[in-house]
Amino acid sequence: MNLHSLRPAAGSTKTRKRIGRGPGSGLGGTSTRGHKGAKSRSGYSKKIGFEGGQMPLQRRVPKFGFKNINRVEYKAVNIGTIQELAAAKNLLKVGVNDLIEAGLVSSNQLVKVLGNGSLTTKLEVEAHAFSKSAVAAIEAVGGNAVKL
């Protein structure tokens, strides 16, 4: 066996279909593109989502939902978490800056105190918003909730 005698296995290769090489080839004329229409033209490329003139799926499917542009989003902090923070750092007044230093909220977030957990020490809590249960829990111990 020599390099010049190497051949592909029988039946493993096919000759390429040569389109548009005259009527004698059997593949001239319309060159397998059929008659007329956008797909028969050179340079045709369909738009993404195009369905042949039928109303596309992204326009047929009903739209729903609503985004309120005036929504105010708060970062929730429970009074149980505030109690743990106050006990760890011996605080009598817990403000937003204390929560930022503890890594519970970032500096650009608004804080809302929620009433989950229990409060045992008298604290003055400063935040942007409070739930009714949080205010009740803070005042039950003798502290006060200061809204910023």
Side-chain angles (χ1 to χ4, degrees), residues 22-132:
S25 68
L27 298 169
T30 58
S31 301
T32 73
R33 287 170 178 250
H35 295 279
K36 297 184 183 176
K39 286 185 183 176
S40 71
R41 319 287 186 202
S42 68
Y44 166 76
S45 64
K46 77 171 192 234
K47 293 186 179 87
I48 294 169
F50 183 68
E51 297 183 20
Q54 172 178 298
M55 186 61 68
L57 182 70
Q58 70 269 23
R59 291 184 63 197
R60 283 199 308 266
V61 173
K63 311 297 186 287
F64 61 91
F66 171 74
K67 278 255 195 265
N68 185 358
I69 59 167
N70 298 318
R71 176 180 161 83
V72 179
E73 205 154 321
Y74 293 99
K75 175 72 174 169
V77 179
N78 288 306
I79 56 171
T81 311
I82 290 173
Q83 173 62 46
E84 289 172 17
L85 178 66
K89 294 192 176 183
N90 296 323
L91 300 172
L92 295 174
K93 182 179 178 185
V94 178
V96 177
N97 289 334
D98 298 316
L99 298 172
I100 291 167
E101 286 171 21
L104 296 170
V105 286
S106 64
S107 58
N108 58 352
Q109 288 178 317
L110 300 176
V111 178
K112 182 169 184 174
V113 179
L114 303 180
N116 197 2
S118 62
L119 202 60
T120 53
T121 54
K122 179 182 173 182
L123 291 174
E124 184 179 316
V125 183
E126 288 183 348
H128 299 101
F130 293 88
S131 68
K132 289 177 185 174

